[in-house]
Amino acid sequence: SYDRSNMIYLLIAVFILSVVVIGGFKGVKSLVALIFTLICCVYLMVPLMLRGVNPILSGILMSILSITITLVLVSGFNKKTLTAILGTVSGVIIAGLIAYIFGSLTNLSGLNMSEAESLAYIAEDTGLKIKGIMFTGILVATLGAVMDIAMSIASSIFEIHKVNDKINFNELFKSAMNIGKDTIGTMTNTLILAFAGGSLSILILVFSANMPFNKLINLDLLGIEIIQGLSGSIGIVLAVPITAFIGCYLCKNELKFKK
């Protein structure tokens, strides 16, 4: 095989340099949060799954830890961070639940994945539960997008309140929702395109087969991609009003946090 290690290390170095130069100290904290997330994935979520813990529970635990550490590192421990954490956790869990419900209703599970045969061999020697792996992947895949929109909404709310602390709850919530509506379109596109891009070769093979529409829409592969993309997008959309409500409530109520 080709020796690709040097080029991979170079790309990583370029990425780190870009983040540090442009992001400054916050960029450094973002890198620390990213490393923590990777450690959680590799050394917490995967080992838990191999020991027989439900994959969805493992994914939720990893997501909560990653969300909390990332947002606290980037923005400190305050009302804005608490708002973003609660909004992100809500959106991610909603996406996972919707994917699980519709996956069950459409008879789709981890067994339909292309790697299922290999995973089945691993499951024989470990406690791995294959059912639920696909939905855990959706939790992890939506994490970044939901976190992004939740922090955007939270930051907007607290900046508006900082400029005009006389604004009432309804007006503040309406402003937050207007900002959220502007970001929903681009964020849902981001997630759909991410799933489509990751499965581009599969999509080309499927659509070049010239199947009848009824057969095409009932394919396992296409069903999985649709459920992944739409459930994640629903999580993003619903994270907007949830984050807006939590942020407005915390702004207008005294808690032992810095604004």
Side-chain angles (χ1 to χ4, degrees):
S1 182
Y2 292 101
D3 182 6
R4 304 180 178 92
S5 57
N6 290 334
M7 291 300 103
I8 291 174
Y9 296 147
L10 177 61
L11 183 59
I12 292 172
V14 171
F15 167 70
I16 293 173
L17 185 64
S18 301
V19 173
V20 172
V21 170
I22 297 175
F25 185 60
K26 278 202 171 185
V28 174
K29 291 193 289 186
S30 299
L31 288 174
V32 173
L34 174 60
I35 293 170
F36 179 81
T37 300
L38 292 174
I39 290 172
C40 282
C41 283
V42 177
Y43 295 104
L44 175 65
M45 184 178 70
V46 174
L48 284 176
M49 291 165 63
L50 290 174
R51 293 189 179 188
V53 177
N54 187 289
I56 297 175
L57 293 178
S58 303
I60 290 174
L61 176 61
M62 188 282 297
S63 298
I64 291 173
L65 280 174
S66 174
I67 291 164
T68 303
I69 297 300
T70 298
L71 294 177
V72 169
L73 275 174
V74 172
S75 298
F77 191 54
N78 47 49
K79 285 184 177 182
K80 179 175 72 175
T81 302
L82 179 60
T83 299
I85 289 172
L86 294 176
T88 305
V89 171
S90 300
V92 169
I93 291 177
I94 287 170
L97 286 175
I98 290 174
Y100 184 80
I101 291 169
F102 279 89
S104 299
L105 292 174
T106 54
N107 197 30
L108 290 171
S109 67
L111 293 174
N112 301 106
M113 295 186 299
S114 57
E115 302 88 356
E117 186 176 349
S118 299
L119 290 173
Y121 287 119
I122 296 173
E124 291 179 359
D125 300 322
T126 64
L128 179 66
K129 297 177 180 177
I130 298 177
K131 187 176 182 180
I133 291 178
M134 183 184 78
F135 309 110
T136 306
I138 293 171
L139 290 177
V140 176
T142 57
L143 181 58
V146 178
M147 193 186 304
D148 189 7
I149 199 167
M151 179 52 81
S152 298
I153 299 297
S155 295
S156 302
I157 290 170
F158 284 89
E159 284 301 315
I160 293 170
H161 191 260
K162 185 178 179 180
V163 172
N164 179 19
D165 59 1
K166 302 298 182 183
I167 189 171
N168 62 42
F169 181 94
N170 290 335
E171 291 173 339
L172 186 59
F173 182 78
K174 184 178 179 181
S175 297
M177 287 301 298
N178 286 335
I179 295 168
K181 289 173 185 177
D182 289 336
T183 59
I184 282 174
T186 55
M187 292 307 298
T188 51
N189 276 344
T190 298
L191 200 60
I192 293 291
L193 291 174
F195 281 119
S199 306
L200 186 57
S201 57
I202 295 174
L203 292 175
I204 291 172
L205 290 172
V206 167
F207 283 97
S208 63
N210 294 322
M211 297 181 186
F213 179 78
N214 191 47
K215 185 176 182 180
L216 184 67
I217 197 67
N218 285 290
L219 283 176
D220 290 351
L221 289 174
L222 191 61
I224 289 171
E225 295 303 320
I226 291 172
I227 289 174
Q228 284 180 332
L230 294 183
S231 60
S233 296
I234 292 170
I236 290 174
V237 171
L238 294 183
V240 171
I242 293 172
T243 306
F245 180 85
I246 294 171
C248 294
Y249 178 84
L250 292 179
C251 271
K252 307 308 292 184
N253 290 272
E254 292 296 327
L255 289 177
K256 294 180 180 180
F257 294 106
K258 292 183 293 181
K259 290 184 180 179

